[in-house]
């Protein structure tokens, strides 16, 4: 399978990518899959101009000549697309959002309303082969609402993606937190194996991955430097 990983962390030492890396270790244990990792921050991706030139041409490419058209080629060709990024202001980082906006050339202006009432654009081609997985880390402890906007956006944009939202992820790069971080990373390795076998994750697995490493009160005390 062809796997396209869109790494949206701007950092060299990404908390989120530690989870993604562990996931890929399990997913591609036997090295059977072709995994392409794009560090989105290193790419030239201008914001969408809203010209809709892509919909006039219907070639699946953007009018702006930068790195996005190469990414669209990889996107179309992928069997699995893994979006890996930190939560920024309850959504995805802006450089990754620019990439998402500019996937518009892959759909047509034509719209369809689904039986459940949702409205979407008709894809340019049959992309139903593509499985989408989202792994997002964040700096807050677990609280209801932190990931809500992101989850709605991902469902609307990607159809029926598998979404994993993990709290307290700065702990993944704190050496003395390894006692709780390493077991989480091990769960990501196992989740990668599960995804490789079924191209989805069970609700139980997602719940295990999203389970806080330490209680919220303890995390807040640590962050604030309180005893
Ligand atoms: C600009 C900015 C906005 C952020 N917004 C949120 C947020 O809305 N909710 C949250 O829990 N964490 C937020 N964070 C914290 C990051 O999600 C957190 O530090 C994450 O672990 C960084 O992951 P990375 O190392 O993979 O980039 C924000 C961080 C930055 C720099």
């Amino acid at each position: 399978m062809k796997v396209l990983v869109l790494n949206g962390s701007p950092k060299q030492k990404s908390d989120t990518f530690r989870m993604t890396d562990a996931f890929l270790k399990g997913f591609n244990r036997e090295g059977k899959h072709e995994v392409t990792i794009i560090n989105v921050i290193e790419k030239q991706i201008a914001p969408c101009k809203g010209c809709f030139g892509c919909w006039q041409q219907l070639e699946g490419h953007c009018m702006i000549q930068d790195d996005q058209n190469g990414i669209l080629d990889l996107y179309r060709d992928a069997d699995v697309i893994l979006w890996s990024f930190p939560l920024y202001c309850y959504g995805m980082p802006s450089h990754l959002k620019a990439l998402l906006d500019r996937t518009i050339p892959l759909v047509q202006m034509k719209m369809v309303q689904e039986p459940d009432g949702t409205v979407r654009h008709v894809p340019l081609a049959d992309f139903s082969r593509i499985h989408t997985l989202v792994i997002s880390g964040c700096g807050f402890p677990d609280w209801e609402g932190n990931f809500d906007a992101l989850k709605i956006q991902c469902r609307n944009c990607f159809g029926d993606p598998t979404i994993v939202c993990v709290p307290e992820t700065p702990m993944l790069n704190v050496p003395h937190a390894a006692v709780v971080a390493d077991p989480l990373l091990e769960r990501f390795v196992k989740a990668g194996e599960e995804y490789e076998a079924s191209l989805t994750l069970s609700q139980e697995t997602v719940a295990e991955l999203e389970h806080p490493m330490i209680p919220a009160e303890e995390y807040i005390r640590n962050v604030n430097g309180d005893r």
Side-chain angles (χ1 to χ4, degrees):
M1 267 183 293
K2 288 185 180 171
V3 182
L4 175 62
V5 182
L6 299 169
N7 171 22
S9 174
K11 291 158 54 185
Q12 286 270 333
K13 211 173 158 191
S14 162
D15 309 326
T16 313
F17 205 79
R18 290 210 69 195
M19 302 184 286
T20 300
D21 199 38
F23 179 91
L24 290 171
K25 199 170 141 198
F27 181 86
N28 205 15
R29 196 176 279 288
E30 290 166 31
K32 287 191 294 197
H33 305 295
E34 190 182 318
V35 179
T36 305
I37 300 173
I38 307 266
N39 297 320
V40 177
I41 196 72
E42 293 167 5
K43 299 293 175 188
Q44 294 297 321
I45 303 175
C48 175
K49 290 179 198 267
C51 69
F52 292 115
C54 54
W55 285 358
Q56 279 147 26
Q57 300 208 346
L58 287 179
E59 285 174 356
H61 285 115
C62 180
M63 309 304 288
I64 305 170
Q65 296 301 322
D66 60 11
D67 291 334
Q68 179 71 6
N69 281 331
I71 293 174
L72 287 175
D73 289 337
L74 293 170
Y75 199 107
R76 247 191 308 255
D77 211 25
D79 301 295
V80 174
I81 299 180
L82 197 170
W83 297 74
S84 169
F85 57 89
L87 190 70
Y88 273 17
C89 301
Y90 311 103
M92 59 176 70
S94 54
H95 48 280
L96 191 62
K97 177 61 165 47
L99 186 157
L100 175 63
D101 290 348
R102 289 182 56 204
T103 57
I104 282 286
L106 300 179
V107 296
Q108 309 172 43
M109 184 163 73
K110 200 171 162 189
M111 299 171 193
V112 62
Q113 186 156 32
E114 304 290 2
D116 68 359
T118 53
V119 178
R120 61 176 179 82
H121 288 292
V122 175
L124 196 62
D126 181 9
F127 298 125
S128 57
R129 177 197 77 254
I130 302 177
H131 288 76
T132 304
L133 173 71
V134 174
I135 298 178
S136 183
C138 80
F140 282 151
D142 190 29
W143 71 274
E144 217 184 313
N146 200 21
F147 282 106
D148 282 4
L150 178 75
K151 284 181 181 171
I152 292 170
Q153 182 180 49
C154 291
R155 284 195 199 106
N156 287 339
C157 290
F158 305 137
D160 188 21
T162 303
I163 308 175
V164 182
C165 296
V166 183
E168 305 173 349
T169 46
M171 297 221 306
L172 293 170
N173 274 316
V174 175
H176 68 253
V179 62
V180 288
D182 287 353
L184 174 63
L185 294 173
E186 198 42 52
R187 291 201 288 280
F188 268 94
V189 175
K190 292 258 173 301
E193 290 168 1
E194 180 180 329
Y195 197 85
E196 205 247 345
S198 60
L199 287 174
T200 189
L201 296 177
S202 70
Q203 281 185 0
E204 294 73 26
T205 299
V206 172
E208 279 176 21
L209 298 175
E210 294 183 343
H211 190 75
M213 284 172 270
I214 59 174
E217 311 71 44
E218 187 182 343
Y219 180 79
I220 292 171
R221 270 202 311 277
N222 286 344
V223 170
N224 293 352
D226 299 340
R227 287 181 175 269

